[in-house]
Amino acid sequence: MIRFNNVSKTYPGGFLALKQVSFAIEPGEMAFLTGHSGAGKSTLLKLMSMMEKPSAGSIEINGTELSTIKYHQIPYVRRGIGMIFQNHNLLLDRTVFDNVALPLIIEGYSHKETRKRVEAALDKVHLTSKLKCFPNMLSGGEQQRVGIARAIVNKPPILLADEPTGNLDPKLSLDIIRLFEEFNDMGVSVLIATHDLGLIARMKYRTLTLKQGHMITDGIVDGLKAEGDLRAN
């Protein structure tokens, strides 16, 4: 579960990136986050993953109020969040297996349990035949699926995706979203940040729309209405 209560974020120099944003993503819910470049999407995701701290307001993740977290506790709270990036952030000198295993190695899992979980994660993203490959041997869509496997390998209850389809063609984009739907069907909460309003219109999920740090819409909207809201506000 994710809950923002009147959250604002001001960066040094006075730039106000988020302005009194409030919303909640319930357990097992899937939603999109949209807005033009600079709207505050990345800031919001950074706050959720504790890469940034809010200037005002409160944030609750998986039942934990983030303001109560000490610095040394951050890695433990982050284990409840799977983060997926547009540019994959894969280690090019490591195999697919090693890339997906990295979070488990950091957490101290045994070799036997690591192999079991990595193989299960790669099976979920349909890449079991690629575990010995290096990232530069894979297509863009396959690299993105490796990033997803790495995010879900420790079975987090929340998945956050930052423009996961930004470098993919429409068919591959839809394939990636279908993967997120599969995880959501298993009870995982999913929040996907994207500027692809056409994709949002096809999926018909709840959409949170940011503009200049304000939450201007929250609900199921079509792509044309979302675009109109961004232009009008």
Side-chain angles (χ1 to χ4, degrees):
M1 184 269 290
I2 302 166
R3 190 175 303 278
F4 274 49
N5 183 27
N6 289 322
V7 172
S8 296
K9 175 62 179 178
T10 303
Y11 285 102
F15 174 66
L16 191 57
L18 289 177
K19 306 172 186 178
Q20 296 185 317
V21 171
S22 297
F23 70 94
I25 304 293
E26 299 300 332
E29 184 176 5
M30 179 165 164
F32 286 99
L33 173 68
T34 192
H36 291 318
S37 178
K41 302 190 301 298
S42 292
T43 296
L44 191 145
L45 293 178
K46 287 177 181 177
L47 290 171
M48 289 182 196
S49 57
M50 289 160 286
M51 296 168 67
E52 300 276 6
K53 292 183 178 181
S55 304
S58 63
I59 302 170
E60 186 178 337
I61 302 290
N62 291 327
T64 299
E65 167 56 55
L66 298 189
S67 65
T68 68
I69 298 300
K70 306 297 183 184
Y71 180 78
H72 70 275
Q73 296 173 310
I74 290 176
Y76 299 97
V77 178
R78 281 179 177 160
R79 290 177 186 177
I81 302 170
M83 190 73 194
I84 296 136
F85 304 92
Q86 177 179 351
N87 294 320
H88 324 308
N89 287 355
L90 301 180
L91 301 174
L92 300 181
D93 62 340
R94 303 293 178 92
T95 64
V96 166
F97 181 94
D98 291 338
N99 270 280
V100 177
L102 187 59
L104 303 179
I105 293 170
I106 292 171
E107 291 180 31
Y109 280 80
S110 69
H111 179 75
K112 181 179 179 181
E113 182 65 16
T114 295
R115 175 164 289 279
K116 178 182 174 182
R117 288 194 176 220
V118 170
E119 290 177 350
L122 288 173
D123 181 60
K124 285 185 173 67
V125 300
H126 317 298
L127 283 178
T128 51
S129 64
K130 304 286 187 178
L131 81 169
K132 294 182 179 179
C133 293
F134 289 87
N136 62 4
M137 300 165 65
L138 305 178
S139 69
E142 288 171 335
Q143 290 183 35
Q144 186 59 282
R145 282 188 278 153
V146 173
I148 294 171
R150 182 181 55 195
I152 59 128
V153 73
N154 62 353
K155 303 178 182 178
I158 294 174
L159 281 181
L160 304 178
D162 190 3
E163 300 285 0
T165 63
N167 295 327
L168 305 178
D169 64 42
K171 182 184 182 305
L172 287 175
S173 295
L174 199 55
D175 289 344
I176 294 298
I177 297 301
R178 296 300 184 202
L179 274 178
F180 287 124
E181 287 184 314
E182 290 178 21
F183 298 129
N184 181 238
D185 288 341
M186 293 186 285
V188 178
S189 300
V190 180
L191 181 63
I192 302 169
T194 180
H195 64 274
D196 188 345
L197 299 178
L199 180 65
I200 290 171
R202 290 196 299 274
M203 303 311 296
K204 303 296 184 184
Y205 282 101
R206 176 186 174 195
T207 301
L208 309 170
T209 306
L210 288 170
K211 182 172 184 180
Q212 296 178 348
H214 292 280
M215 187 75 74
I216 60 172
T217 61
D218 180 353
I220 298 176
V221 297
D222 61 42
L224 291 175
K225 184 179 186 303
E227 181 67 30
D229 288 337
L230 287 171
R231 293 181 183 278
N233 285 275

